[in-house]
Amino acid sequence: MEIAGLQIDLVRQRMRSLRLTVYAGGRIRVAVPLHTPTAAIEAFVQARRAWIEQHQQRFAAREPAPTLHYETGDAVPFLGQPYALKVRPAIRPRVELQPDTQQLHLYAPADSTAAQREAILAAWYRQQLRQRLPGLLAKWEPIVGRTAAAWGIRQMRTRWGTCNIGAARIWLNLELIKRPLPCLEYVVVHELTHLHERLHNARFWGLVDQFMPDWRTHRNELNRVLLAPTAAPDAD
């Protein structure tokens, strides 16, 4: 529907308050309680029009992820650095990092498809992130003053991280292994802070300021990247 000159995806569902989301590409979604009057929805959107336009402009400025064919010559990211991909034939699939030459060697059967090589690289990325997370949690949990009872890695389209507060479980996006390490640390701190405060309110951001004073730099770095064609990446 159109509200205040804007095309809105309106969703009515069982909830207590209205929620507005702006997605990359300009799509706007408004979720409202089941019996919310149209006039109240219009007022809600109109009051936030400047915020909507600001976020649409910010998403338009984000860099799209490069198209990869998982062939020799592709530039693949790892911890914020581009590595030249070298595909080599081998029976046993594996990936080897060559820091001295800024190359990533991907070993795969000679008849492998791009999808198969992508899967090999994704498994390596997951292994690399999994190796780093225990050390990062050991570093930041004492600073934040909260401990994650469990953690995991997911390929997420719309979030860099998320937190199940009741279970004290945090999830990190696999894509973080492609970004600079401080960005990963920021998301770890962000999710641990949710174990103090559920909402993204003044108390929450005040705590993040206390734990990691330069967090804005790392969030801005993450915001340079378009996580998915139709998604609005953020830590939750």
Side-chain angles (χ1 to χ4, degrees):
M1 63 182 298
E2 183 174 320
I3 299 177
L6 299 170
Q7 289 297 320
I8 304 292
D9 293 341
L10 182 63
V11 179
R12 294 182 182 271
Q13 58 190 46
R14 294 186 182 277
M15 57 191 305
R16 293 182 179 179
S17 59
L18 290 77
R19 181 173 182 179
L20 171 66
T21 308
V22 178
Y23 293 89
R27 187 168 67 90
I28 307 165
R29 180 181 185 272
V30 178
V32 304
L34 292 174
H35 304 296
T36 305
T38 300
I41 300 171
E42 291 176 348
F44 176 77
V45 173
Q46 186 62 50
R48 290 158 179 78
R49 180 162 188 143
W51 182 90
I52 292 170
E53 292 174 350
Q54 177 186 1
H55 279 69
Q56 287 177 326
Q57 292 169 5
R58 188 182 73 182
F59 293 141
R62 284 181 171 165
E63 301 172 3
T67 301
L68 298 179
H69 302 286
Y70 302 94
E71 298 174 350
T72 294
D74 278 353
V76 294
F78 176 65
L79 292 179
Q81 296 294 321
Y83 284 80
L85 186 66
K86 300 290 184 181
V87 177
R88 300 182 178 279
I91 296 175
R92 182 174 67 87
R94 64 189 187 278
V95 174
E96 294 179 358
L97 187 67
Q98 305 289 332
D100 294 342
T101 58
Q102 205 72 6
Q103 294 181 354
L104 204 66
H105 292 185
L106 189 154
Y107 294 85
D111 59 352
S112 63
T113 64
Q116 290 169 333
R117 295 190 295 272
E118 179 183 10
I120 294 168
L121 184 59
W124 182 80
Y125 276 143
R126 185 176 294 272
Q127 177 191 47
Q128 295 297 313
L129 183 53
R130 186 173 295 278
Q131 288 175 355
R132 285 165 174 78
L133 281 175
L136 293 180
L137 288 167
K139 172 184 175 180
W140 287 104
E141 284 175 338
I143 296 173
V144 176
R146 289 292 186 271
T147 301
W151 56 268
I153 299 167
R154 287 177 175 170
Q155 184 75 60
M156 293 184 275
R157 289 177 56 82
T158 62
R159 300 290 176 190
W160 289 112
T162 189
C163 178
N164 182 321
I165 296 171
R169 178 187 297 115
I170 67 172
W171 293 92
L172 286 305
N173 194 329
L174 179 60
E175 293 295 307
L176 283 166
I177 197 63
K178 301 177 183 179
R179 311 308 305 155
L181 185 60
C183 293
L184 171 55
E185 295 193 79
Y186 158 65
V187 178
V188 168
V189 170
H190 186 118
E191 302 311 330
L192 288 174
T193 303
H194 275 304
L195 300 178
H196 285 285
E197 172 58 56
R198 179 184 300 270
L199 302 176
H200 290 139
N201 54 22
R203 177 173 182 260
F204 176 87
W205 292 115
L207 288 169
V208 176
D209 266 327
Q210 175 184 330
F211 304 142
M212 179 181 270
D214 59 349
W215 65 269
R216 291 173 182 81
T217 299
H218 311 317
R219 188 179 69 173
N220 289 342
E221 174 65 24
L222 287 175
N223 284 339
R224 290 179 51 246
V225 181
L226 187 61
L227 184 57
T230 58
D234 198 2
D236 186 14

